[in-house]
Amino acid sequence: MTLYNTCMIYTITTNPALDYYLKINKLTPGRINRTTDEAYDAAGKGVNVSKFLDKLNIGSVALGFLGGFTKDYYLDILSTHKNIQPQFTTVGQSTRINVKIQGEEETSLNTRGPVVNEIEYAKFANRLSQIYDNDYVVLSGNVQSTLVDRISDSIRDLSKEGVKVVLDTDNKVVDKLVDDKLFMIKMTYTDIGTEEADIIAKGKELMAKGVKYFLYSAPNTPSYLFEDGYYLKCNSKHKETYFLTGTSDGMVAGFLWAKLKGANSLEAFTYANAVSTTTSILDETADLNEINEAYNSLEIERVEY
């Protein structure tokens, strides 16, 4: 698909992880459980956005912190994605390993991750200073408590320089940056629940603060896109037996993918849902025909407020 501009997408994952996927018929606590399949993946919400963009044949630069004995293996896995340029800052402590169990229900065991010191962060901040105005920066996922103030200051500087900032991260970071005219804030049920009244209230609040877009998604729950004066609502459903880890990251990637093609808000939101509901983080590539079929079948409701 032809792009209408040459801007770059940067994703930031301050606390990436090697995700260890385990498939199991039934998880029984207190017993020895035998898996039916296992796999490692280079993960973290920002990296997941890069991986979905890669499936859509869009390039991105992946930034963040990697270190220890897991760093090289992480980069080896990431090297299989031809459209991702990894430019991580090396830290002394090891990148974390998370466990994702896919059984009758999905269960995740997420670990804490490394501490980033001042020297390491200064190298990272220097790389951020080389991002141009009109580029996109997506900060996604957990931010270590010791980095909240520093990363917030860095992202604020980028926004002031005209970089289009997308936040899909901890509320403590969002709260520090919400008044900085951000391009998009993405939230899910872990941030504000699933009640429509709470979602609408949050959307109106963020619009009043000057955020351009507010995107909400949760598995098998209506998704919403707020722009000044109205919101869009989609009742899309994920495929049966669908592995839901990363679907919200697919929505962010789908939205940006469409925007790079010159899509308006309605088109971008519809593509975001189409990508999220048809493309798994475990898929090798995206099926563009399936995405377009989903795009054409989705019903979007527009509500003025």
Side-chain angles (χ1 to χ4, degrees):
M1 294 186 179
T2 302
L3 301 186
Y4 289 89
N5 54 50
T6 57
C7 66
M8 178 59 73
I9 298 176
Y10 296 83
T11 62
I12 300 174
T13 311
T14 67
N15 201 8
L18 273 176
D19 273 1
Y20 187 27
Y21 288 96
L22 302 175
K23 288 188 177 181
I24 190 168
N25 291 328
K26 182 179 181 180
L27 179 64
T28 305
R31 298 287 186 89
I32 294 176
N33 293 268
R34 302 293 182 184
T35 62
T36 59
D37 196 15
E38 308 89 29
Y40 280 103
D41 196 20
K45 285 183 65 64
V47 172
N48 285 347
V49 173
S50 282
K51 285 157 61 178
F52 276 104
L53 289 169
D54 173 66
K55 298 174 195 296
L56 297 164
N57 203 30
I58 298 294
S60 66
V61 177
L63 304 175
F65 304 96
L66 290 175
F69 76 99
T70 45
K71 174 176 73 73
D72 290 341
Y73 188 41
Y74 189 102
L75 290 173
D76 284 345
I77 296 173
L78 209 58
S79 69
T80 63
H81 300 273
K82 65 178 182 179
N83 294 303
I84 301 177
Q85 301 177 44
Q87 297 183 12
F88 291 90
T89 300
T90 299
V91 296
Q93 296 186 9
S94 294
T95 297
R96 60 187 179 146
I97 299 175
N98 291 339
V99 179
K100 307 291 183 179
I101 302 172
Q102 185 182 18
E104 294 175 322
E105 295 180 329
E106 289 183 23
T107 302
S108 295
L109 302 175
N110 289 358
T111 53
R112 290 180 299 174
V115 174
V116 178
N117 65 38
E118 294 287 346
I119 295 174
E120 292 162 349
Y121 190 84
K123 293 178 181 178
F124 169 75
N126 181 64
R127 179 62 187 89
L128 291 186
S129 69
Q130 301 168 37
I131 296 174
Y132 295 105
D133 63 319
N134 212 40
D135 285 339
Y136 292 88
V137 168
V138 182
L139 173 62
S140 291
N142 164 259
V143 173
Q144 301 92 310
S145 59
T146 54
L147 287 183
V148 168
D149 290 339
R150 284 178 284 177
I151 196 71
S152 298
D153 289 343
S154 295
I155 296 298
R156 180 176 295 110
D157 290 342
L158 290 175
S159 183
K160 288 179 179 178
E161 292 297 321
V163 175
K164 296 174 182 176
V165 172
V166 177
L167 295 185
D168 184 10
T169 186
D170 300 323
N171 283 335
K172 55 183 178 285
V173 177
V174 173
D175 290 344
K176 287 181 175 293
L177 295 169
V178 70
D179 294 316
D180 287 278
K181 310 298 181 184
L182 303 177
F183 179 75
M184 177 186 283
I185 291 177
K186 165 77 170 57
M187 289 186 178
T188 186
Y189 68 98
T190 57
D191 303 303
I192 54 176
T194 59
E195 293 296 323
E196 184 172 60
D198 295 333
I199 297 166
I200 293 173
K202 177 58 70 172
K204 290 179 177 180
E205 173 191 335
L206 295 177
M207 293 301 101
K209 290 180 177 293
V211 177
K212 186 172 179 60
Y213 298 112
F214 169 55
L215 181 63
Y216 173 89
S217 74
N220 296 320
T221 297
S223 58
Y224 297 78
L225 178 72
F226 282 76
E227 198 170 1
D228 189 30
Y230 73 95
Y231 65 84
L232 303 173
K233 179 180 178 181
C234 180
N235 288 296
S236 59
K237 295 292 184 180
H238 296 94
K239 294 182 292 187
E240 293 294 325
T241 68
Y242 193 74
F243 196 74
L244 297 178
T245 296
T247 54
S248 66
D249 308 318
M251 181 165 281
V252 173
F255 188 90
L256 296 181
W257 175 58
K259 277 295 182 182
L260 286 175
K261 297 188 296 172
N264 59 34
S265 300
L266 172 61
E267 293 165 336
F269 178 60
T270 309
Y271 267 120
N273 280 278
V275 171
S276 175
T277 56
T278 63
T279 309
S280 169
I281 195 67
L282 301 180
D283 293 338
E284 291 296 325
T285 59
D287 186 331
L288 297 183
N289 289 329
E290 188 177 13
I291 290 171
N292 285 322
E293 287 176 6
Y295 175 89
N296 291 325
S297 68
L298 291 172
E299 295 183 0
I300 309 296
E301 177 184 2
R302 176 179 171 128
V303 179
E304 309 286 337
Y305 66 84

